[in-house]
Short mmCIF file of all heavy atoms in Angstrom, two decimals:
data_model
loop_
_atom_site.label_atom_id
_atom_site.label_comp_id
_atom_site.label_asym_id
_atom_site.label_seq_id
_atom_site.Cartn_x
_atom_site.Cartn_y
_atom_site.Cartn_z
N MET A 395 29.13 38.13 266.45
CA MET A 395 29.99 37.03 266.85
C MET A 395 30.79 37.43 268.08
O MET A 395 31.14 38.59 268.23
CB MET A 395 30.92 36.66 265.70
CG MET A 395 31.73 35.43 265.96
SD MET A 395 30.71 34.02 266.37
CE MET A 395 31.32 32.84 265.24
N TYR A 396 31.06 36.47 268.91
CA TYR A 396 31.81 36.74 270.13
C TYR A 396 33.31 36.55 269.92
O TYR A 396 33.74 35.77 269.08
CB TYR A 396 31.37 35.77 271.23
CG TYR A 396 30.04 36.11 271.84
CD1 TYR A 396 28.87 35.58 271.34
CD2 TYR A 396 29.97 36.95 272.94
CE1 TYR A 396 27.65 35.88 271.91
CE2 TYR A 396 28.75 37.25 273.52
CZ TYR A 396 27.60 36.71 273.00
OH TYR A 396 26.40 37.01 273.58
N GLU A 397 34.07 37.25 270.72
CA GLU A 397 35.52 37.08 270.75
C GLU A 397 35.90 36.66 272.16
O GLU A 397 35.44 37.26 273.14
CB GLU A 397 36.19 38.42 270.41
CG GLU A 397 37.68 38.39 270.57
CD GLU A 397 38.29 39.79 270.39
OE1 GLU A 397 37.60 40.69 269.90
OE2 GLU A 397 39.45 39.95 270.77
N ILE A 398 36.71 35.61 272.29
CA ILE A 398 37.12 35.12 273.60
C ILE A 398 38.23 36.02 274.12
O ILE A 398 39.21 36.28 273.44
CB ILE A 398 37.62 33.66 273.52
CG1 ILE A 398 36.56 32.77 272.88
CG2 ILE A 398 38.01 33.14 274.90
CD1 ILE A 398 35.23 32.79 273.56
N LEU A 399 38.09 36.49 275.36
CA LEU A 399 39.07 37.38 275.93
C LEU A 399 40.23 36.65 276.58
O LEU A 399 41.33 37.15 276.65
CB LEU A 399 38.41 38.32 276.95
CG LEU A 399 37.29 39.20 276.37
CD1 LEU A 399 36.71 40.07 277.47
CD2 LEU A 399 37.80 40.04 275.22
N ASP A 400 40.00 35.44 277.09
CA ASP A 400 41.05 34.66 277.74
C ASP A 400 41.08 33.30 277.06
O ASP A 400 40.38 32.38 277.45
CB ASP A 400 40.74 34.50 279.23
CG ASP A 400 41.79 33.68 279.95
OD1 ASP A 400 42.75 33.21 279.30
OD2 ASP A 400 41.65 33.49 281.16
N ASP A 401 41.87 33.19 276.00
CA ASP A 401 41.82 31.97 275.20
C ASP A 401 42.98 31.01 275.47
O ASP A 401 43.33 30.22 274.61
CB ASP A 401 41.76 32.32 273.71
CG ASP A 401 43.01 33.05 273.23
OD1 ASP A 401 43.82 33.45 274.07
OD2 ASP A 401 43.17 33.20 272.03
N GLY A 402 43.55 31.04 276.64
CA GLY A 402 44.65 30.15 276.95
C GLY A 402 44.30 28.67 276.84
O GLY A 402 45.14 27.85 276.53
N PHE A 403 43.03 28.31 277.08
CA PHE A 403 42.62 26.91 277.05
C PHE A 403 41.38 26.73 276.17
O PHE A 403 40.58 25.85 276.38
CB PHE A 403 42.34 26.43 278.48
CG PHE A 403 42.36 24.94 278.63
CD1 PHE A 403 43.49 24.20 278.31
CD2 PHE A 403 41.25 24.27 279.10
CE1 PHE A 403 43.49 22.83 278.46
CE2 PHE A 403 41.25 22.89 279.25
CZ PHE A 403 42.37 22.18 278.93
N PHE A 404 41.22 27.62 275.20
CA PHE A 404 40.04 27.62 274.35
C PHE A 404 40.49 27.59 272.89
O PHE A 404 40.49 28.61 272.21
CB PHE A 404 39.19 28.87 274.62
CG PHE A 404 37.79 28.78 274.08
CD1 PHE A 404 36.81 28.10 274.77
CD2 PHE A 404 37.46 29.38 272.89
CE1 PHE A 404 35.51 28.02 274.28
CE2 PHE A 404 36.16 29.32 272.39
CZ PHE A 404 35.20 28.63 273.09
N PRO A 405 40.90 26.39 272.41
CA PRO A 405 41.43 26.32 271.04
C PRO A 405 40.34 26.54 270.00
O PRO A 405 39.16 26.32 270.27
CB PRO A 405 41.97 24.89 270.95
CG PRO A 405 41.18 24.12 271.95
CD PRO A 405 40.87 25.09 273.06
N PRO A 406 40.72 27.00 268.81
CA PRO A 406 39.73 27.22 267.76
C PRO A 406 39.15 25.89 267.28
O PRO A 406 39.78 24.83 267.42
CB PRO A 406 40.54 27.89 266.65
CG PRO A 406 41.94 27.46 266.90
CD PRO A 406 42.08 27.29 268.38
N PHE A 407 37.97 25.95 266.70
CA PHE A 407 37.37 24.74 266.14
C PHE A 407 38.19 24.27 264.95
O PHE A 407 38.61 25.07 264.12
CB PHE A 407 35.93 25.00 265.65
CG PHE A 407 34.92 25.07 266.76
CD1 PHE A 407 34.31 26.27 267.08
CD2 PHE A 407 34.56 23.94 267.47
CE1 PHE A 407 33.36 26.34 268.08
CE2 PHE A 407 33.61 23.99 268.47
CZ PHE A 407 33.01 25.20 268.78
N GLN A 408 38.42 22.96 264.87
CA GLN A 408 38.96 22.37 263.65
C GLN A 408 37.86 22.36 262.60
O GLN A 408 38.08 22.66 261.44
CB GLN A 408 39.44 20.93 263.90
CG GLN A 408 40.63 20.82 264.80
CD GLN A 408 40.94 19.36 265.12
OE1 GLN A 408 40.04 18.55 265.33
NE2 GLN A 408 42.21 19.04 265.18
N HIS A 409 36.66 21.97 263.06
CA HIS A 409 35.50 21.91 262.16
C HIS A 409 34.27 22.28 262.98
O HIS A 409 33.94 21.59 263.95
CB HIS A 409 35.36 20.50 261.58
CG HIS A 409 34.20 20.35 260.66
ND1 HIS A 409 34.09 21.03 259.47
CD2 HIS A 409 33.07 19.62 260.78
CE1 HIS A 409 32.94 20.70 258.89
NE2 HIS A 409 32.30 19.85 259.66
N LEU A 410 33.62 23.37 262.62
CA LEU A 410 32.39 23.77 263.29
C LEU A 410 31.25 22.95 262.70
O LEU A 410 30.96 23.04 261.51
CB LEU A 410 32.13 25.27 263.08
CG LEU A 410 30.89 25.83 263.77
CD1 LEU A 410 30.99 25.72 265.29
CD2 LEU A 410 30.68 27.29 263.35
N LEU A 411 30.63 22.12 263.51
CA LEU A 411 29.54 21.28 263.03
C LEU A 411 28.26 22.11 262.84
O LEU A 411 27.58 21.97 261.84
CB LEU A 411 29.29 20.13 264.00
CG LEU A 411 30.47 19.18 264.20
CD1 LEU A 411 30.18 18.18 265.30
CD2 LEU A 411 30.82 18.48 262.90
N PHE A 412 27.94 22.95 263.82
CA PHE A 412 26.83 23.88 263.64
C PHE A 412 26.89 24.96 264.72
O PHE A 412 27.53 24.80 265.75
CB PHE A 412 25.47 23.18 263.65
CG PHE A 412 25.01 22.70 265.00
CD1 PHE A 412 24.24 23.50 265.83
CD2 PHE A 412 25.32 21.41 265.42
CE1 PHE A 412 23.81 23.04 267.06
CE2 PHE A 412 24.89 20.94 266.65
CZ PHE A 412 24.13 21.77 267.48
N ALA A 413 26.24 26.07 264.44
CA ALA A 413 26.09 27.16 265.39
C ALA A 413 24.68 27.70 265.23
O ALA A 413 24.16 27.78 264.11
CB ALA A 413 27.11 28.26 265.11
N VAL A 414 24.06 28.03 266.33
CA VAL A 414 22.68 28.54 266.29
C VAL A 414 22.50 29.52 267.45
O VAL A 414 23.09 29.34 268.51
CB VAL A 414 21.66 27.38 266.34
CG1 VAL A 414 21.76 26.61 267.64
CG2 VAL A 414 20.25 27.86 266.10
N GLU A 415 21.70 30.54 267.21
CA GLU A 415 21.40 31.51 268.26
C GLU A 415 19.94 31.39 268.67
O GLU A 415 19.11 30.89 267.92
CB GLU A 415 21.71 32.92 267.77
CG GLU A 415 23.20 33.11 267.51
CD GLU A 415 23.59 34.53 267.19
OE1 GLU A 415 22.74 35.44 267.32
OE2 GLU A 415 24.74 34.72 266.81
N GLN A 416 19.66 31.87 269.88
CA GLN A 416 18.29 31.91 270.41
C GLN A 416 17.65 30.53 270.40
O GLN A 416 16.52 30.36 269.97
CB GLN A 416 17.43 32.87 269.61
CG GLN A 416 17.41 34.30 269.98
CD GLN A 416 18.73 35.05 270.11
OE1 GLN A 416 19.80 34.50 270.36
NE2 GLN A 416 18.65 36.33 270.00
N VAL A 417 18.35 29.52 270.86
CA VAL A 417 17.84 28.15 270.84
C VAL A 417 17.43 27.73 272.26
O VAL A 417 18.11 28.06 273.22
CB VAL A 417 18.88 27.18 270.24
CG1 VAL A 417 20.13 27.09 271.11
CG2 VAL A 417 18.29 25.80 270.02
N ARG A 418 16.31 27.02 272.37
CA ARG A 418 15.86 26.49 273.65
C ARG A 418 16.68 25.25 273.99
O ARG A 418 17.20 24.58 273.10
CB ARG A 418 14.39 26.14 273.59
CG ARG A 418 13.48 27.33 273.39
CD ARG A 418 12.02 26.94 273.49
NE ARG A 418 11.75 25.59 273.06
CZ ARG A 418 10.85 25.25 272.15
NH1 ARG A 418 10.13 26.17 271.55
NH2 ARG A 418 10.64 24.00 271.83
N PRO A 419 16.76 24.89 275.27
CA PRO A 419 17.53 23.71 275.66
C PRO A 419 17.10 22.41 274.97
O PRO A 419 17.94 21.63 274.53
CB PRO A 419 17.31 23.63 277.17
CG PRO A 419 17.03 25.02 277.58
CD PRO A 419 16.26 25.62 276.44
N ASP A 420 15.79 22.17 274.84
CA ASP A 420 15.33 20.94 274.21
C ASP A 420 15.72 20.90 272.73
O ASP A 420 16.12 19.86 272.21
CB ASP A 420 13.82 20.77 274.39
CG ASP A 420 13.00 21.91 273.81
OD1 ASP A 420 13.47 23.06 273.81
OD2 ASP A 420 11.86 21.66 273.37
N ARG A 421 15.64 22.03 272.04
CA ARG A 421 16.04 22.10 270.63
C ARG A 421 17.55 21.96 270.49
O ARG A 421 18.03 21.37 269.54
CB ARG A 421 15.58 23.42 270.00
CG ARG A 421 14.08 23.59 269.94
CD ARG A 421 13.42 22.73 268.90
NE ARG A 421 14.00 23.00 267.59
CZ ARG A 421 14.10 22.12 266.61
NH1 ARG A 421 13.65 20.90 266.77
NH2 ARG A 421 14.64 22.44 265.47
N ALA A 422 18.29 22.49 271.45
CA ALA A 422 19.75 22.36 271.42
C ALA A 422 20.15 20.89 271.48
O ALA A 422 21.02 20.43 270.73
CB ALA A 422 20.38 23.13 272.59
N ALA A 423 19.49 20.14 272.36
CA ALA A 423 19.79 18.71 272.48
C ALA A 423 19.43 17.98 271.20
O ALA A 423 20.20 17.14 270.71
CB ALA A 423 19.04 18.12 273.67
N LEU A 424 18.26 18.28 270.63
CA LEU A 424 17.82 17.61 269.41
C LEU A 424 18.75 17.92 268.23
O LEU A 424 19.14 17.01 267.49
CB LEU A 424 16.39 18.05 269.07
CG LEU A 424 15.78 17.42 267.82
CD1 LEU A 424 15.67 15.92 267.96
CD2 LEU A 424 14.41 18.04 267.55
N MET A 425 19.13 19.17 268.07
CA MET A 425 20.04 19.54 266.98
C MET A 425 21.40 18.86 267.15
O MET A 425 21.99 18.40 266.17
CB MET A 425 20.22 21.05 266.94
CG MET A 425 18.96 21.79 266.56
SD MET A 425 19.14 23.57 266.72
CE MET A 425 20.22 23.89 265.34
N THR A 426 21.87 18.80 268.38
CA THR A 426 23.16 18.15 268.64
C THR A 426 23.07 16.66 268.31
O THR A 426 23.95 16.11 267.66
CB THR A 426 23.57 18.36 270.11
OG1 THR A 426 23.65 19.77 270.36
CG2 THR A 426 24.91 17.71 270.40
N ARG A 427 21.98 16.01 268.75
CA ARG A 427 21.80 14.59 268.45
C ARG A 427 21.81 14.32 266.95
O ARG A 427 22.49 13.41 266.47
CB ARG A 427 20.49 14.08 269.05
CG ARG A 427 20.26 12.59 268.76
CD ARG A 427 18.90 12.08 269.24
NE ARG A 427 18.51 12.66 270.50
CZ ARG A 427 17.27 13.08 270.76
NH1 ARG A 427 16.32 12.98 269.87
NH2 ARG A 427 16.97 13.59 271.94
N ARG A 428 21.07 15.12 266.21
CA ARG A 428 21.00 14.92 264.75
C ARG A 428 22.36 15.10 264.08
O ARG A 428 22.72 14.35 263.18
CB ARG A 428 19.99 15.87 264.15
CG ARG A 428 18.57 15.46 264.47
CD ARG A 428 17.57 16.34 263.78
NE ARG A 428 16.22 15.88 264.07
CZ ARG A 428 15.17 16.65 264.00
NH1 ARG A 428 15.27 17.90 263.63
NH2 ARG A 428 13.97 16.16 264.28
N GLU A 429 23.11 16.10 264.52
CA GLU A 429 24.43 16.33 263.92
C GLU A 429 25.37 15.18 264.26
O GLU A 429 26.13 14.71 263.41
CB GLU A 429 25.01 17.65 264.41
CG GLU A 429 26.26 18.07 263.70
CD GLU A 429 26.05 18.33 262.22
OE1 GLU A 429 25.02 18.92 261.83
OE2 GLU A 429 26.93 17.92 261.43
N LEU A 430 25.31 14.69 265.49
CA LEU A 430 26.21 13.61 265.90
C LEU A 430 25.86 12.28 265.25
O LEU A 430 26.73 11.43 265.06
CB LEU A 430 26.24 13.49 267.42
CG LEU A 430 26.80 14.72 268.15
CD1 LEU A 430 26.76 14.50 269.64
CD2 LEU A 430 28.19 15.07 267.69
N GLU A 431 24.58 12.09 264.90
CA GLU A 431 24.19 10.87 264.19
C GLU A 431 24.92 10.78 262.86
O GLU A 431 25.31 9.69 262.42
CB GLU A 431 22.67 10.84 263.96
CG GLU A 431 21.89 10.50 265.20
CD GLU A 431 20.38 10.64 265.02
OE1 GLU A 431 19.93 11.08 263.94
OE2 GLU A 431 19.66 10.32 265.98
N GLU A 432 25.15 11.93 262.24
CA GLU A 432 25.89 11.96 260.97
C GLU A 432 27.34 11.50 261.14
O GLU A 432 27.94 10.95 260.23
CB GLU A 432 25.88 13.37 260.37
CG GLU A 432 24.50 13.90 260.04
CD GLU A 432 23.87 13.14 258.87
OE1 GLU A 432 24.60 12.84 257.91
OE2 GLU A 432 22.67 12.84 258.95
N LEU A 433 27.90 11.72 262.32
CA LEU A 433 29.29 11.34 262.59
C LEU A 433 29.43 9.88 262.99
O LEU A 433 30.54 9.37 263.08
CB LEU A 433 29.88 12.23 263.70
CG LEU A 433 29.97 13.72 263.40
CD1 LEU A 433 30.54 14.45 264.60
CD2 LEU A 433 30.81 13.97 262.15
N LYS A 434 28.29 9.23 263.28
CA LYS A 434 28.28 7.82 263.68
C LYS A 434 29.19 7.56 264.90
O LYS A 434 29.97 6.62 264.93
CB LYS A 434 28.64 6.92 262.50
CG LYS A 434 27.68 7.08 261.32
CD LYS A 434 27.94 6.07 260.26
CE LYS A 434 27.12 6.22 259.02
NZ LYS A 434 25.82 6.75 259.06
#
């Protein structure tokens, strides 16, 4: 996991919807779309 070194404008997540490593750009978009569909 990463730690932010300069967090003056990087607030913590209220709710992490998802996190994934080693993802291609097209899969990143698809995963984001699916998660956001749940939020309507």
Side-chain angles (χ1 to χ4, degrees):
M395 187 55 128
Y396 284 91
E397 173 187 346
I398 305 304
L399 300 180
D400 179 0
D401 64 350
F403 199 59
F404 196 81
F407 283 111
Q408 292 174 321
H409 180 64
L410 181 64
L411 299 173
F412 73 91
V414 63
E415 295 187 9
Q416 273 52 336
V417 64
R418 295 186 330 234
D420 59 328
R421 295 287 303 150
L424 181 62
M425 294 173 72
T426 302
R427 180 185 322 138
R428 287 184 178 157
E429 189 64 40
L430 296 179
E431 284 173 356
E432 298 292 319
L433 297 179
K434 301 188 185 329

